[in-house]
Amino acid sequence: KAGVTQTPRYLIKTRGQQVTLSCSPISGHRSVSWYQQTPGQGLQFLFEYFSETQRNKGNFPGRFSGRQFSNSRSEMNVSTLELGDSALYLCASSPSGPNRGDTQYFGPGTRLTVL
Amino acid sequence: EDQVTQSPEALRLQEGESSSLNCSYTVSGLRGLFWYRQDPGKGPEFLFTLYSAGEEKEKERLKATLTKKESFLHITAPKPEDSATYLCAVQGTSGTYKYIFGTGTRLKVLA
């Protein structure tokens, strides 16, 4: 099976711009989660989508949003970029079975640099 | 509130010097505990999933164990290519499906 893919791999934007990142989960996986990773804060949970519905949300401002399509592909959007948004953005997918802890599998990430 | 603490923050080992990484967790019912390896600038790579106390899993030089309060990642006779950051995460049964990550242990294995 192909792994989780993320596009683009690298992005450079300027303050005030907006950006859209894309994630294609492993085939058959219905849950997609997004994380922000910075050297100082570690992995911070942004949100999780399951069957096109946001199931969980982390403590990020409303500038961060996402959506999931019927084929489980997901996008996240960051509007009005700030310097502090520079980070590695990671997408993870899991089957999301009902009873046991599903393993999340991560993509390679998108490195966003805000100038 | 669910919480994960990893120790030590950083560890330097000589090649062949075995050691253990610790992951202490507080969760209202454990759905699963996960170990990942992450190389700089890359996404975390899945290593193990553990579900209940007493469970153990092995892969090459790595062995993960689980108790009701913590998990250990034992590294036997490490090699320089084992150098990476090792992340631990838990998923509880609190009604949401959030995965809570620790801040990781940065391992450096010297030749």
Side-chain angles (χ1 to χ4, degrees):
Chain A
K1 272 186 182 180
V4 178
T5 59
Q6 292 187 244
T7 56
R9 293 294 313 281
Y10 302 92
L11 265 179
I12 298 176
K13 294 285 188 180
T14 56
R15 281 179 298 174
Q17 287 187 309
Q18 76 163 20
V19 67
T20 299
L21 312 181
S22 180
C23 171
S24 292
I26 293 171
S27 177
H29 286 193
R30 298 167 63 192
S31 169
V32 173
S33 295
W34 288 90
Y35 296 86
Q36 182 195 66
Q37 188 175 39
T38 59
Q41 297 295 319
L43 265 170
Q44 300 291 310
F45 172 73
L46 281 155
F47 28 66
E48 183 216 359
Y49 285 88
F50 177 77
S51 292
E52 301 179 67
T53 300
Q54 187 180 87
R55 186 161 69 174
N56 277 305
K57 190 176 188 307
N59 298 321
F60 278 80
R63 300 185 296 107
F64 293 81
S65 63
R67 60 177 175 168
Q68 186 180 34
F69 302 95
S70 59
N71 61 358
S72 294
R73 192 177 69 84
S74 177
E75 289 181 348
M76 69 163 281
N77 185 77
V78 187
S79 63
T80 318
L81 284 166
E82 301 177 358
L83 294 178
D85 296 333
S86 294
L88 181 66
Y89 289 88
L90 292 161
C91 166
S93 76
S94 68
S96 196
N99 298 315
R100 304 192 78 186
D102 274 340
T103 299
Q104 285 190 317
Y105 295 89
F106 284 84
T110 294
R111 170 72 63 185
L112 173 64
T113 302
V114 182
L115 303 176
Chain B
E1 184 178 332
D2 297 349
Q3 204 165 24
V4 175
T5 303
Q6 291 188 248
S7 62
E9 286 187 17
L11 181 63
R12 290 166 69 94
L13 299 173
Q14 291 294 324
E15 185 173 3
E17 180 186 2
S18 301
S19 187
S20 297
L21 313 183
N22 178 264
C23 171
S24 297
Y25 64 91
T26 303
V27 67
S28 53
L30 182 67
R31 197 185 295 268
L33 184 142
F34 312 89
W35 281 100
Y36 294 87
R37 169 202 168 116
Q38 186 176 25
D39 293 305
K42 297 187 177 181
E45 173 190 345
F46 168 69
L47 292 174
F48 304 107
T49 300
L50 302 168
Y51 294 108
S52 56
E55 192 173 357
E56 299 182 353
K57 288 192 176 174
E58 284 188 72
K59 178 181 176 181
E60 296 179 355
R61 295 179 292 282
L62 300 177
K63 179 179 177 181
T65 62
L66 181 64
T67 73
K68 289 186 177 180
K69 293 183 179 180
E70 57 192 350
S71 177
F72 291 94
L73 184 65
H74 306 279
I75 303 177
T76 302
K79 298 182 178 182
E81 54 261 41
D82 295 322
S83 298
T85 295
Y86 291 84
L87 297 168
C88 170
V90 297
Q91 187 188 40
T93 59
S94 63
T96 69
Y97 293 83
K98 284 184 182 179
Y99 294 78
I100 310 299
F101 279 83
T103 53
T105 293
R106 294 188 313 277
L107 174 65
K108 177 74 172 175
V109 182
L110 304 171

PDB file of all heavy atoms in Angstrom, chain B residues 17-50:
ATOM      1  N   GLU B  17      26.357   0.247  23.483  1.00  0.00           N
ATOM      2  CA  GLU B  17      25.972   0.515  24.879  1.00  0.00           C
ATOM      3  C   GLU B  17      24.447   0.523  25.001  1.00  0.00           C
ATOM      4  O   GLU B  17      23.776   1.474  24.606  1.00  0.00           O
ATOM      5  CB  GLU B  17      26.540   1.865  25.322  1.00  0.00           C
ATOM      6  CG  GLU B  17      26.201   2.243  26.750  1.00  0.00           C
ATOM      7  CD  GLU B  17      26.661   3.651  27.092  1.00  0.00           C
ATOM      8  OE1 GLU B  17      27.204   4.346  26.196  1.00  0.00           O
ATOM      9  OE2 GLU B  17      26.452   4.080  28.246  1.00  0.00           O
ATOM     10  N   SER B  18      23.873  -0.499  25.555  1.00  0.00           N
ATOM     11  CA  SER B  18      22.418  -0.631  25.659  1.00  0.00           C
ATOM     12  C   SER B  18      21.832   0.351  26.677  1.00  0.00           C
ATOM     13  O   SER B  18      22.493   0.715  27.656  1.00  0.00           O
ATOM     14  CB  SER B  18      22.038  -2.066  26.059  1.00  0.00           C
ATOM     15  OG  SER B  18      22.526  -2.982  25.103  1.00  0.00           O
ATOM     16  N   SER B  19      20.589   0.762  26.457  1.00  0.00           N
ATOM     17  CA  SER B  19      19.930   1.683  27.375  1.00  0.00           C
ATOM     18  C   SER B  19      18.423   1.616  27.169  1.00  0.00           C
ATOM     19  O   SER B  19      17.927   0.854  26.317  1.00  0.00           O
ATOM     20  CB  SER B  19      20.433   3.108  27.134  1.00  0.00           C
ATOM     21  OG  SER B  19      19.936   3.993  28.119  1.00  0.00           O
ATOM     22  N   SER B  20      17.694   2.401  27.967  1.00  0.00           N
ATOM     23  CA  SER B  20      16.235   2.431  27.874  1.00  0.00           C
ATOM     24  C   SER B  20      15.719   3.855  27.877  1.00  0.00           C
ATOM     25  O   SER B  20      16.261   4.712  28.579  1.00  0.00           O
ATOM     26  CB  SER B  20      15.602   1.678  29.055  1.00  0.00           C
ATOM     27  OG  SER B  20      15.953   0.319  29.028  1.00  0.00           O
ATOM     28  N   LEU B  21      14.677   4.085  27.105  1.00  0.00           N
ATOM     29  CA  LEU B  21      13.974   5.364  27.100  1.00  0.00           C
ATOM     30  C   LEU B  21      12.639   5.166  27.821  1.00  0.00           C
ATOM     31  O   LEU B  21      11.995   4.126  27.669  1.00  0.00           O
ATOM     32  CB  LEU B  21      13.707   5.824  25.659  1.00  0.00           C
ATOM     33  CG  LEU B  21      14.870   5.763  24.670  1.00  0.00           C
ATOM     34  CD1 LEU B  21      14.446   6.317  23.328  1.00  0.00           C
ATOM     35  CD2 LEU B  21      16.078   6.489  25.219  1.00  0.00           C
ATOM     36  N   ASN B  22      12.233   6.204  28.562  1.00  0.00           N
ATOM     37  CA  ASN B  22      11.021   6.085  29.364  1.00  0.00           C
ATOM     38  C   ASN B  22       9.897   6.961  28.840  1.00  0.00           C
ATOM     39  O   ASN B  22      10.126   8.080  28.361  1.00  0.00           O
ATOM     40  CB  ASN B  22      11.323   6.472  30.810  1.00  0.00           C
ATOM     41  CG  ASN B  22      10.085   6.415  31.690  1.00  0.00           C
ATOM     42  OD1 ASN B  22       9.429   7.430  31.915  1.00  0.00           O
ATOM     43  ND2 ASN B  22       9.739   5.233  32.140  1.00  0.00           N
ATOM     44  N   CYS B  23       8.683   6.451  28.924  1.00  0.00           N
ATOM     45  CA  CYS B  23       7.481   7.209  28.561  1.00  0.00           C
ATOM     46  C   CYS B  23       6.462   6.998  29.686  1.00  0.00           C
ATOM     47  O   CYS B  23       5.893   5.908  29.808  1.00  0.00           O
ATOM     48  CB  CYS B  23       6.926   6.722  27.232  1.00  0.00           C
ATOM     49  SG  CYS B  23       5.309   7.413  26.795  1.00  0.00           S
ATOM     50  N   SER B  24       6.262   8.029  30.501  1.00  0.00           N
ATOM     51  CA  SER B  24       5.264   7.955  31.574  1.00  0.00           C
ATOM     52  C   SER B  24       3.984   8.604  31.096  1.00  0.00           C
ATOM     53  O   SER B  24       4.023   9.657  30.463  1.00  0.00           O
ATOM     54  CB  SER B  24       5.766   8.688  32.817  1.00  0.00           C
ATOM     55  OG  SER B  24       6.915   8.078  33.325  1.00  0.00           O
ATOM     56  N   TYR B  25       2.854   7.987  31.411  1.00  0.00           N
ATOM     57  CA  TYR B  25       1.605   8.535  30.899  1.00  0.00           C
ATOM     58  C   TYR B  25       0.517   8.553  31.963  1.00  0.00           C
ATOM     59  O   TYR B  25       0.500   7.742  32.891  1.00  0.00           O
ATOM     60  CB  TYR B  25       1.140   7.751  29.671  1.00  0.00           C
ATOM     61  CG  TYR B  25       0.786   6.309  29.936  1.00  0.00           C
ATOM     62  CD1 TYR B  25      -0.517   5.934  30.269  1.00  0.00           C
ATOM     63  CD2 TYR B  25       1.753   5.305  29.850  1.00  0.00           C
ATOM     64  CE1 TYR B  25      -0.839   4.614  30.511  1.00  0.00           C
ATOM     65  CE2 TYR B  25       1.438   3.986  30.096  1.00  0.00           C
ATOM     66  CZ  TYR B  25       0.146   3.641  30.423  1.00  0.00           C
ATOM     67  OH  TYR B  25      -0.178   2.324  30.674  1.00  0.00           O
ATOM     68  N   THR B  26      -0.381   9.505  31.802  1.00  0.00           N
ATOM     69  CA  THR B  26      -1.586   9.588  32.622  1.00  0.00           C
ATOM     70  C   THR B  26      -2.748   9.682  31.656  1.00  0.00           C
ATOM     71  O   THR B  26      -2.828  10.610  30.853  1.00  0.00           O
ATOM     72  CB  THR B  26      -1.564  10.842  33.525  1.00  0.00           C
ATOM     73  OG1 THR B  26      -0.386  10.820  34.330  1.00  0.00           O
ATOM     74  CG2 THR B  26      -2.794  10.869  34.421  1.00  0.00           C
ATOM     75  N   VAL B  27      -3.625   8.701  31.730  1.00  0.00           N
ATOM     76  CA  VAL B  27      -4.736   8.675  30.783  1.00  0.00           C
ATOM     77  C   VAL B  27      -5.925   7.995  31.438  1.00  0.00           C
ATOM     78  O   VAL B  27      -5.763   7.076  32.245  1.00  0.00           O
ATOM     79  CB  VAL B  27      -4.305   7.955  29.484  1.00  0.00           C
ATOM     80  CG1 VAL B  27      -4.043   6.474  29.732  1.00  0.00           C
ATOM     81  CG2 VAL B  27      -5.318   8.143  28.384  1.00  0.00           C
ATOM     82  N   SER B  28      -7.094   8.462  31.109  1.00  0.00           N
ATOM     83  CA  SER B  28      -8.315   7.865  31.670  1.00  0.00           C
ATOM     84  C   SER B  28      -8.714   6.665  30.827  1.00  0.00           C
ATOM     85  O   SER B  28      -9.623   6.754  30.013  1.00  0.00           O
ATOM     86  CB  SER B  28      -9.424   8.908  31.706  1.00  0.00           C
ATOM     87  OG  SER B  28      -9.574   9.470  30.414  1.00  0.00           O
ATOM     88  N   GLY B  29      -8.026   5.566  31.025  1.00  0.00           N
ATOM     89  CA  GLY B  29      -8.296   4.388  30.204  1.00  0.00           C
ATOM     90  C   GLY B  29      -7.437   4.421  28.957  1.00  0.00           C
ATOM     91  O   GLY B  29      -7.494   5.367  28.191  1.00  0.00           O
ATOM     92  N   LEU B  30      -6.627   3.376  28.769  1.00  0.00           N
ATOM     93  CA  LEU B  30      -5.682   3.390  27.649  1.00  0.00           C
ATOM     94  C   LEU B  30      -6.280   2.656  26.461  1.00  0.00           C
ATOM     95  O   LEU B  30      -6.644   1.471  26.550  1.00  0.00           O
ATOM     96  CB  LEU B  30      -4.367   2.715  28.073  1.00  0.00           C
ATOM     97  CG  LEU B  30      -3.260   2.703  27.002  1.00  0.00           C
ATOM     98  CD1 LEU B  30      -2.766   4.105  26.727  1.00  0.00           C
ATOM     99  CD2 LEU B  30      -2.123   1.793  27.434  1.00  0.00           C
ATOM    100  N   ARG B  31      -6.352   3.362  25.349  1.00  0.00           N
ATOM    101  CA  ARG B  31      -6.796   2.719  24.115  1.00  0.00           C
ATOM    102  C   ARG B  31      -5.598   2.155  23.358  1.00  0.00           C
ATOM    103  O   ARG B  31      -5.704   1.125  22.706  1.00  0.00           O
ATOM    104  CB  ARG B  31      -7.562   3.723  23.247  1.00  0.00           C
ATOM    105  CG  ARG B  31      -8.413   3.119  22.156  1.00  0.00           C
ATOM    106  CD  ARG B  31      -9.024   4.200  21.299  1.00  0.00           C
ATOM    107  NE  ARG B  31      -9.964   5.048  22.006  1.00  0.00           N
ATOM    108  CZ  ARG B  31     -11.275   4.835  22.069  1.00  0.00           C
ATOM    109  NH1 ARG B  31     -11.801   3.792  21.472  1.00  0.00           N
ATOM    110  NH2 ARG B  31     -12.045   5.667  22.721  1.00  0.00           N
ATOM    111  N   GLY B  32      -4.452   2.846  23.479  1.00  0.00           N
ATOM    112  CA  GLY B  32      -3.239   2.368  22.831  1.00  0.00           C
ATOM    113  C   GLY B  32      -2.068   3.278  23.152  1.00  0.00           C
ATOM    114  O   GLY B  32      -2.254   4.466  23.417  1.00  0.00           O
ATOM    115  N   LEU B  33      -0.852   2.714  23.162  1.00  0.00           N
ATOM    116  CA  LEU B  33       0.376   3.487  23.337  1.00  0.00           C
ATOM    117  C   LEU B  33       1.258   3.222  22.136  1.00  0.00           C
ATOM    118  O   LEU B  33       1.412   2.069  21.713  1.00  0.00           O
ATOM    119  CB  LEU B  33       1.085   3.116  24.645  1.00  0.00           C
ATOM    120  CG  LEU B  33       2.342   3.951  24.954  1.00  0.00           C
ATOM    121  CD1 LEU B  33       2.438   4.248  26.443  1.00  0.00           C
ATOM    122  CD2 LEU B  33       3.610   3.320  24.429  1.00  0.00           C
ATOM    123  N   PHE B  34       1.828   4.278  21.581  1.00  0.00           N
ATOM    124  CA  PHE B  34       2.523   4.192  20.304  1.00  0.00           C
ATOM    125  C   PHE B  34       3.938   4.739  20.422  1.00  0.00           C
ATOM    126  O   PHE B  34       4.167   5.765  21.050  1.00  0.00           O
ATOM    127  CB  PHE B  34       1.761   5.001  19.244  1.00  0.00           C
ATOM    128  CG  PHE B  34       0.281   4.708  19.237  1.00  0.00           C
ATOM    129  CD1 PHE B  34      -0.584   5.435  20.037  1.00  0.00           C
ATOM    130  CD2 PHE B  34      -0.231   3.698  18.442  1.00  0.00           C
ATOM    131  CE1 PHE B  34      -1.942   5.166  20.052  1.00  0.00           C
ATOM    132  CE2 PHE B  34      -1.589   3.415  18.449  1.00  0.00           C
ATOM    133  CZ  PHE B  34      -2.436   4.147  19.248  1.00  0.00           C
ATOM    134  N   TRP B  35       4.874   4.066  19.771  1.00  0.00           N
ATOM    135  CA  TRP B  35       6.246   4.545  19.671  1.00  0.00           C
ATOM    136  C   TRP B  35       6.566   4.845  18.207  1.00  0.00           C
ATOM    137  O   TRP B  35       6.220   4.053  17.309  1.00  0.00           O
ATOM    138  CB  TRP B  35       7.234   3.497  20.192  1.00  0.00           C
ATOM    139  CG  TRP B  35       7.343   3.429  21.684  1.00  0.00           C
ATOM    140  CD1 TRP B  35       6.755   2.534  22.518  1.00  0.00           C
ATOM    141  CD2 TRP B  35       8.137   4.290  22.526  1.00  0.00           C
ATOM    142  NE1 TRP B  35       7.107   2.785  23.818  1.00  0.00           N
ATOM    143  CE2 TRP B  35       7.957   3.840  23.849  1.00  0.00           C
ATOM    144  CE3 TRP B  35       8.975   5.380  22.297  1.00  0.00           C
ATOM    145  CZ2 TRP B  35       8.588   4.455  24.956  1.00  0.00           C
ATOM    146  CZ3 TRP B  35       9.596   5.976  23.377  1.00  0.00           C
ATOM    147  CH2 TRP B  35       9.404   5.522  24.692  1.00  0.00           C
ATOM    148  N   TYR B  36       7.246   5.982  18.017  1.00  0.00           N
ATOM    149  CA  TYR B  36       7.674   6.392  16.690  1.00  0.00           C
ATOM    150  C   TYR B  36       9.142   6.788  16.735  1.00  0.00           C
ATOM    151  O   TYR B  36       9.651   7.235  17.759  1.00  0.00           O
ATOM    152  CB  TYR B  36       6.881   7.608  16.198  1.00  0.00           C
ATOM    153  CG  TYR B  36       5.421   7.366  15.960  1.00  0.00           C
ATOM    154  CD1 TYR B  36       4.493   7.496  16.989  1.00  0.00           C
ATOM    155  CD2 TYR B  36       4.946   7.016  14.691  1.00  0.00           C
ATOM    156  CE1 TYR B  36       3.145   7.285  16.773  1.00  0.00           C
ATOM    157  CE2 TYR B  36       3.594   6.810  14.466  1.00  0.00           C
ATOM    158  CZ  TYR B  36       2.706   6.948  15.516  1.00  0.00           C
ATOM    159  OH  TYR B  36       1.369   6.739  15.294  1.00  0.00           O
ATOM    160  N   ARG B  37       9.771   6.692  15.602  1.00  0.00           N
ATOM    161  CA  ARG B  37      11.125   7.201  15.410  1.00  0.00           C
ATOM    162  C   ARG B  37      11.035   8.327  14.396  1.00  0.00           C
ATOM    163  O   ARG B  37      10.344   8.206  13.373  1.00  0.00           O
ATOM    164  CB  ARG B  37      12.010   6.076  14.860  1.00  0.00           C
ATOM    165  CG  ARG B  37      13.359   6.540  14.369  1.00  0.00           C
ATOM    166  CD  ARG B  37      13.986   5.575  13.387  1.00  0.00           C
ATOM    167  NE  ARG B  37      15.131   6.209  12.757  1.00  0.00           N
ATOM    168  CZ  ARG B  37      16.376   5.782  12.906  1.00  0.00           C
ATOM    169  NH1 ARG B  37      16.627   4.695  13.630  1.00  0.00           N
ATOM    170  NH2 ARG B  37      17.363   6.414  12.323  1.00  0.00           N
ATOM    171  N   GLN B  38      11.736   9.449  14.670  1.00  0.00           N
ATOM    172  CA  GLN B  38      11.702  10.559  13.734  1.00  0.00           C
ATOM    173  C   GLN B  38      13.120  11.044  13.448  1.00  0.00           C
ATOM    174  O   GLN B  38      13.868  11.389  14.354  1.00  0.00           O
ATOM    175  CB  GLN B  38      10.853  11.721  14.269  1.00  0.00           C
ATOM    176  CG  GLN B  38      10.688  12.835  13.248  1.00  0.00           C
ATOM    177  CD  GLN B  38       9.769  13.943  13.715  1.00  0.00           C
ATOM    178  OE1 GLN B  38       9.595  14.167  14.903  1.00  0.00           O
ATOM    179  NE2 GLN B  38       9.148  14.635  12.763  1.00  0.00           N
ATOM    180  N   ASP B  39      13.456  11.081  12.168  1.00  0.00           N
ATOM    181  CA  ASP B  39      14.719  11.656  11.727  1.00  0.00           C
ATOM    182  C   ASP B  39      14.490  13.122  11.415  1.00  0.00           C
ATOM    183  O   ASP B  39      13.368  13.536  11.084  1.00  0.00           O
ATOM    184  CB  ASP B  39      15.230  10.908  10.495  1.00  0.00           C
ATOM    185  CG  ASP B  39      15.615   9.480  10.832  1.00  0.00           C
ATOM    186  OD1 ASP B  39      16.452   9.307  11.751  1.00  0.00           O
ATOM    187  OD2 ASP B  39      15.082   8.533  10.227  1.00  0.00           O
ATOM    188  N   PRO B  40      15.538  13.951  11.505  1.00  0.00           N
ATOM    189  CA  PRO B  40      15.372  15.403  11.313  1.00  0.00           C
ATOM    190  C   PRO B  40      14.707  15.744   9.987  1.00  0.00           C
ATOM    191  O   PRO B  40      15.102  15.243   8.928  1.00  0.00           O
ATOM    192  CB  PRO B  40      16.819  15.917  11.365  1.00  0.00           C
ATOM    193  CG  PRO B  40      17.538  14.916  12.197  1.00  0.00           C
ATOM    194  CD  PRO B  40      16.925  13.594  11.869  1.00  0.00           C
ATOM    195  N   GLY B  41      13.686  16.599  10.046  1.00  0.00           N
ATOM    196  CA  GLY B  41      13.016  17.071   8.853  1.00  0.00           C
ATOM    197  C   GLY B  41      12.086  16.077   8.198  1.00  0.00           C
ATOM    198  O   GLY B  41      11.542  16.358   7.127  1.00  0.00           O
ATOM    199  N   LYS B  42      11.874  14.929   8.826  1.00  0.00           N
ATOM    200  CA  LYS B  42      11.019  13.891   8.244  1.00  0.00           C
ATOM    201  C   LYS B  42       9.824  13.610   9.146  1.00  0.00           C
ATOM    202  O   LYS B  42       9.796  14.001  10.311  1.00  0.00           O
ATOM    203  CB  LYS B  42      11.811  12.613   8.012  1.00  0.00           C
ATOM    204  CG  LYS B  42      12.939  12.773   7.008  1.00  0.00           C
ATOM    205  CD  LYS B  42      13.569  11.430   6.689  1.00  0.00           C
ATOM    206  CE  LYS B  42      14.644  11.595   5.626  1.00  0.00           C
ATOM    207  NZ  LYS B  42      15.262  10.290   5.263  1.00  0.00           N
ATOM    208  N   GLY B  43       8.830  12.914   8.601  1.00  0.00           N
ATOM    209  CA  GLY B  43       7.690  12.526   9.408  1.00  0.00           C
ATOM    210  C   GLY B  43       8.028  11.354  10.315  1.00  0.00           C
ATOM    211  O   GLY B  43       8.923  10.564  10.014  1.00  0.00           O
ATOM    212  N   PRO B  44       7.343  11.252  11.449  1.00  0.00           N
ATOM    213  CA  PRO B  44       7.581  10.126  12.353  1.00  0.00           C
ATOM    214  C   PRO B  44       7.305   8.781  11.675  1.00  0.00           C
ATOM    215  O   PRO B  44       6.330   8.641  10.941  1.00  0.00           O
ATOM    216  CB  PRO B  44       6.597  10.383  13.492  1.00  0.00           C
ATOM    217  CG  PRO B  44       6.363  11.859  13.465  1.00  0.00           C
ATOM    218  CD  PRO B  44       6.396  12.218  12.020  1.00  0.00           C
ATOM    219  N   GLU B  45       8.163   7.824  11.967  1.00  0.00           N
ATOM    220  CA  GLU B  45       8.037   6.480  11.417  1.00  0.00           C
ATOM    221  C   GLU B  45       7.536   5.556  12.515  1.00  0.00           C
ATOM    222  O   GLU B  45       8.108   5.490  13.600  1.00  0.00           O
ATOM    223  CB  GLU B  45       9.398   5.998  10.910  1.00  0.00           C
ATOM    224  CG  GLU B  45       9.440   4.549  10.457  1.00  0.00           C
ATOM    225  CD  GLU B  45      10.862   4.078  10.197  1.00  0.00           C
ATOM    226  OE1 GLU B  45      11.779   4.921  10.094  1.00  0.00           O
ATOM    227  OE2 GLU B  45      11.077   2.856  10.116  1.00  0.00           O
ATOM    228  N   PHE B  46       6.464   4.842  12.237  1.00  0.00           N
ATOM    229  CA  PHE B  46       5.851   3.967  13.227  1.00  0.00           C
ATOM    230  C   PHE B  46       6.782   2.823  13.627  1.00  0.00           C
ATOM    231  O   PHE B  46       7.424   2.195  12.777  1.00  0.00           O
ATOM    232  CB  PHE B  46       4.545   3.396  12.676  1.00  0.00           C
ATOM    233  CG  PHE B  46       3.983   2.273  13.499  1.00  0.00           C
ATOM    234  CD1 PHE B  46       3.465   2.508  14.764  1.00  0.00           C
ATOM    235  CD2 PHE B  46       4.000   0.970  13.018  1.00  0.00           C
ATOM    236  CE1 PHE B  46       2.956   1.477  15.524  1.00  0.00           C
ATOM    237  CE2 PHE B  46       3.490  -0.069  13.779  1.00  0.00           C
ATOM    238  CZ  PHE B  46       2.966   0.186  15.034  1.00  0.00           C
ATOM    239  N   LEU B  47       6.843   2.572  14.953  1.00  0.00           N
ATOM    240  CA  LEU B  47       7.624   1.455  15.469  1.00  0.00           C
ATOM    241  C   LEU B  47       6.719   0.380  16.091  1.00  0.00           C
ATOM    242  O   LEU B  47       6.721  -0.760  15.659  1.00  0.00           O
ATOM    243  CB  LEU B  47       8.625   1.942  16.517  1.00  0.00           C
ATOM    244  CG  LEU B  47       9.761   2.830  16.022  1.00  0.00           C
ATOM    245  CD1 LEU B  47      10.578   3.353  17.205  1.00  0.00           C
ATOM    246  CD2 LEU B  47      10.657   2.088  15.042  1.00  0.00           C
ATOM    247  N   PHE B  48       6.003   0.756  17.159  1.00  0.00           N
ATOM    248  CA  PHE B  48       5.212  -0.221  17.903  1.00  0.00           C
ATOM    249  C   PHE B  48       3.888   0.371  18.378  1.00  0.00           C
ATOM    250  O   PHE B  48       3.808   1.562  18.649  1.00  0.00           O
ATOM    251  CB  PHE B  48       5.961  -0.694  19.170  1.00  0.00           C
ATOM    252  CG  PHE B  48       7.320  -1.261  18.945  1.00  0.00           C
ATOM    253  CD1 PHE B  48       8.455  -0.544  19.302  1.00  0.00           C
ATOM    254  CD2 PHE B  48       7.468  -2.516  18.391  1.00  0.00           C
ATOM    255  CE1 PHE B  48       9.713  -1.075  19.103  1.00  0.00           C
ATOM    256  CE2 PHE B  48       8.727  -3.057  18.176  1.00  0.00           C
ATOM    257  CZ  PHE B  48       9.853  -2.327  18.535  1.00  0.00           C
ATOM    258  N   THR B  49       2.903  -0.512  18.553  1.00  0.00           N
ATOM    259  CA  THR B  49       1.674  -0.188  19.264  1.00  0.00           C
ATOM    260  C   THR B  49       1.498  -1.212  20.379  1.00  0.00           C
ATOM    261  O   THR B  49       1.622  -2.414  20.153  1.00  0.00           O
ATOM    262  CB  THR B  49       0.439  -0.240  18.346  1.00  0.00           C
ATOM    263  OG1 THR B  49       0.594   0.690  17.282  1.00  0.00           O
ATOM    264  CG2 THR B  49      -0.822   0.101  19.132  1.00  0.00           C
ATOM    265  N   LEU B  50       1.226  -0.726  21.593  1.00  0.00           N
ATOM    266  CA  LEU B  50       0.978  -1.589  22.746  1.00  0.00           C
ATOM    267  C   LEU B  50      -0.400  -1.273  23.300  1.00  0.00           C
ATOM    268  O   LEU B  50      -0.806  -0.106  23.350  1.00  0.00           O
ATOM    269  CB  LEU B  50       2.042  -1.357  23.828  1.00  0.00           C
ATOM    270  CG  LEU B  50       3.497  -1.580  23.387  1.00  0.00           C
ATOM    271  CD1 LEU B  50       4.465  -1.050  24.437  1.00  0.00           C
ATOM    272  CD2 LEU B  50       3.742  -3.075  23.143  1.00  0.00           C
TER     273      LEU B  50
END
